[in-house]
Amino acid sequence: MTAIETSSTVAVVGTGTMGQGIAQVALVAGHRVRLYDAAPGRAGEAAEALVRRLDRLAEKGRITAQERDAARDRLAPAAELADLADAALVVEAILEELPAKQQLFTALEEIVPADCLLATNTSSLSVTAVAGPLRHPGRFVGLHFFNPAPLLPLVEVITGFATDEAAAATAYDTAAAWGKTPVRCADTPGFIVNRIARPFYAEALRAYEERAADPATIDAVLREGAGFKMGPFELTDLIGQDVNEAVTHSVWTSFFQDPKFTPSLAQRRLVESGLHGRKAGRGWFDYAEGAERPAPRTAAACPAPESVGLDGELPGPAAGLRELIEEAGIKITGERADGGAGVIRLPGGAALGLTSGAPATSGAQGRCVRFDLSLDYRAATRIALAPSETASEADLAEAVGLFQALGKQVSVVRDVPGMIVARTVAMIVDFAVDAVAREVASPEDIDTAMRLGVNYPGGPLEWAERLGARWVRDLLDSLDHQSAGGRYAPSWALRRRAEVQGQVL
């Protein structure tokens, strides 16, 4: 372990919500903490707020009265930067502006000891760029905490282009000693979480722009059908639409306007209207007192079919549906081998199949209904269905009744390519596979970061194994065919993984 010793001083510059949270983490871990803010009086106010937090922790039994008193004695505001001269670690949490951060660290370099570790908590700027003007950039790292810092375990430790390995190891070990779960990451736009999570927001927004469904329904399908803790619309309302859009725009710009990261016009309009989410009282949803959250679109009850046919084997992600159908007491009759992806044959003759990326109304599909991907069909409580233009109301009713018999609520959505869950998960998987190939982070750190940083129901690379790289590649290829511009083109890393999988099979 190369963690900074608890006898050493930790300084935090910037005393907003994040700065105070980081200071609390260091303080509770046993360090002396110095708080500095360029605004006069702000550091003293933050210290008082931290003392109140310590009191609440003691009241709740999280720390003892003695621990609270000791921590209070270790905390002090700093009137000027020179008061940080004894720091072994300085963590910056000021506004997200590159010149301001560069100016701060240039000044700190003249004050702190030569062995002091310098760290930025930036979530969207280049760690390498922040350290650019420094004479000794080797001791500079990114320490990206997630809000609220005292509660969320993840810390991304970002290695800049000039960062020394020893400095990165010290930062990693210090975060671990503070009770956090650190992950290592190269200095790439968005780091791990804000890079790989972009499709969770982007595909929901694109599905909304395509009028696949309303925000409440899209949220419900991803939450209840795929296991995400929150839907993208409610989550961006919580984060702040202005904040989320700014990160999206920053990552898109940093990747030279790569179409895979293109921001949403619908979100831009929301931000321009001042509808920034919960903090503004309204975003995608209304948060005024007494306002009711719109309900997701849910199909009315339909009778379950007594039996269904099965043409071929259902594709890997949907294979478990056969067992669920049998458990529901619905007979499977008329099984026959089929060269293509398997489909369920409804009593009226329509085909019910997992989305392949192409809309239900395409090619020679005939009367068909598509169902969306679930990461766990047994656990899912909601499924989205999309009928083709040629499917009748009776065909759709049979499909709805089948899934209702399996214990699922059903949302009927517009027939758009990739539906909702499938396109979102496939893009997240592709981003994760690509990040591994580019050595942004290890597979283990990527899965850990996405589970802990944004509370995903699993790691994207774990999903890649469960769904199969070939299935993900084929779905993205189909989406790419439907939408010009390269947004959905599978990465070379995913294509290679799919080829290797095919050779093994």
Side-chain angles (χ1 to χ4, degrees):
M1 287 284 288
T2 57
I4 292 171
E5 295 181 359
T6 54
S7 58
S8 301
T9 298
V10 172
V12 177
V13 180
T15 59
T17 301
M18 183 58 79
Q20 289 185 34
I22 296 169
Q24 180 180 328
V25 172
L27 197 60
V28 172
H31 291 274
R32 293 191 303 273
V33 173
R34 301 287 179 267
L35 289 172
Y36 175 79
D37 198 292
R42 203 63 75 68
E45 294 171 1
E48 292 172 1
L50 269 174
V51 168
R52 291 193 294 272
R53 290 191 191 186
L54 293 171
D55 288 338
R56 288 195 295 272
L57 289 175
E59 290 169 4
K60 295 178 180 179
R62 305 282 179 80
I63 59 176
T64 66
Q66 292 78 11
E67 289 171 334
R68 175 201 60 197
D69 294 343
R72 189 165 51 196
D73 292 342
R74 293 194 302 270
L75 175 64
E80 52 189 37
L81 274 182
D83 294 338
L84 310 183
D86 65 336
L89 166 63
V90 180
V91 183
E92 165 272 315
I94 66 173
L95 69 168
E96 286 286 88
E97 292 182 2
L98 181 60
K101 292 181 188 292
Q102 290 176 327
Q103 183 178 8
L104 169 66
F105 283 110
T106 300
L108 281 168
E109 198 172 31
E110 302 298 324
I111 295 168
V112 298
D115 59 350
C116 176
L117 185 65
L118 301 177
T120 175
N121 183 59
T122 184
S123 61
S124 60
L125 299 176
S126 163
V127 170
T128 301
V130 176
L134 299 182
R135 295 195 313 274
H136 304 290
R139 60 169 166 171
F140 192 88
V141 299
L143 270 179
H144 181 214
F145 289 77
F146 289 74
N147 194 30
L151 297 180
L152 294 186
L154 184 70
V155 177
E156 291 178 320
V157 180
I158 302 102
T159 303
F161 187 77
T163 302
D164 292 336
E165 174 56 30
T170 296
Y172 182 97
D173 290 344
T174 299
W178 290 358
K180 297 301 180 181
T181 303
V183 293
R184 294 285 295 266
C185 176
D187 185 19
T188 184
F191 312 136
I192 299 175
V193 172
N194 280 328
R195 172 180 177 148
I196 295 173
R198 293 337 309 154
F200 182 68
Y201 314 110
E203 292 311 309
L205 287 162
R206 190 172 177 106
Y208 167 77
E209 291 171 340
E210 293 169 353
R211 296 299 184 261
D214 59 279
T217 300
I218 294 172
D219 273 359
V221 169
L222 282 159
R223 195 175 55 240
E224 301 165 31
F228 291 98
K229 300 301 181 184
M230 296 182 73
F233 292 97
E234 59 186 345
L235 181 54
T236 52
D237 267 358
L238 178 63
I239 295 168
Q241 297 299 332
D242 53 336
V243 174
N244 182 262
E245 198 231 12
V247 173
T248 298
H249 197 276
S250 174
V251 172
W252 175 63
T253 302
S254 297
F255 276 113
F256 307 103
Q257 300 184 357
D258 187 324
K260 291 180 179 291
F261 297 93
T262 302
S264 162
L265 180 60
Q267 188 177 41
R268 176 92 290 263
R269 294 291 179 258
L270 202 69
V271 172
E272 289 173 340
S273 300
L275 304 179
H276 294 171
R278 286 181 179 270
K279 63 185 177 184
R282 187 168 181 178
W284 291 109
F285 305 111
D286 189 348
Y287 298 95
E289 186 176 353
E292 292 186 10
R293 179 73 64 88
R297 187 186 308 164
T298 303
C302 294
E306 294 182 1
S307 65
V308 295
L310 191 59
D311 295 354
E313 293 185 8
L314 294 175
L321 280 174
R322 177 187 182 120
E323 185 176 351
L324 295 181
I325 292 170
E326 291 175 333
E327 289 175 4
I330 298 171
K331 296 180 181 178
I332 297 179
T333 61
E335 291 187 60
R336 61 184 183 183
D338 190 284
V343 297
I344 298 166
R345 187 65 59 182
L346 296 169
L352 174 64
L354 174 63
T355 180
S356 63
T361 307
S362 63
Q365 299 294 326
R367 292 163 44 219
C368 71
V369 179
R370 295 289 193 197
F371 61 86
D372 207 348
L373 173 69
S374 174
L375 295 169
D376 185 344
Y377 282 100
R378 183 174 292 277
T381 57
R382 183 178 296 271
I383 295 292
L385 298 180
S388 67
E389 293 290 339
T390 54
S392 66
E393 290 186 9
D395 294 331
L396 180 58
E398 288 175 349
V400 170
L402 173 62
F403 276 102
Q404 288 174 339
L406 305 186
K408 320 299 180 188
Q409 290 186 302
V410 176
S411 292
V412 179
V413 303
R414 189 174 184 179
D415 180 26
V416 297
M419 299 187 70
I420 296 170
V421 177
R423 69 200 284 178
T424 300
V425 169
M427 287 289 280
I428 292 172
V429 167
D430 189 37
F431 275 34
V433 171
D434 180 61
V436 171
R438 295 177 187 272
E439 298 184 355
V440 170
S442 70
E444 296 77 16
D445 277 357
I446 286 175
D447 277 357
T448 296
M450 302 313 291
R451 284 196 302 268
L452 298 183
V454 278
N455 213 7
Y456 279 6
L461 295 159
E462 171 195 330
W463 297 342
E465 292 298 320
R466 285 168 52 194
L467 299 175
R470 297 178 74 192
W471 184 86
V472 177
R473 177 205 61 190
D474 291 348
L475 185 131
L476 290 175
D477 268 335
S478 181
L479 281 166
D480 186 44
H481 177 73
Q482 305 292 325
S483 177
R487 178 187 181 102
Y488 298 106
S491 65
W492 64 267
L494 180 65
R495 291 193 183 281
R496 183 173 63 184
R497 181 178 287 219
E499 290 299 325
V500 170
Q501 183 186 70
Q503 292 169 11
V504 171
L505 294 175

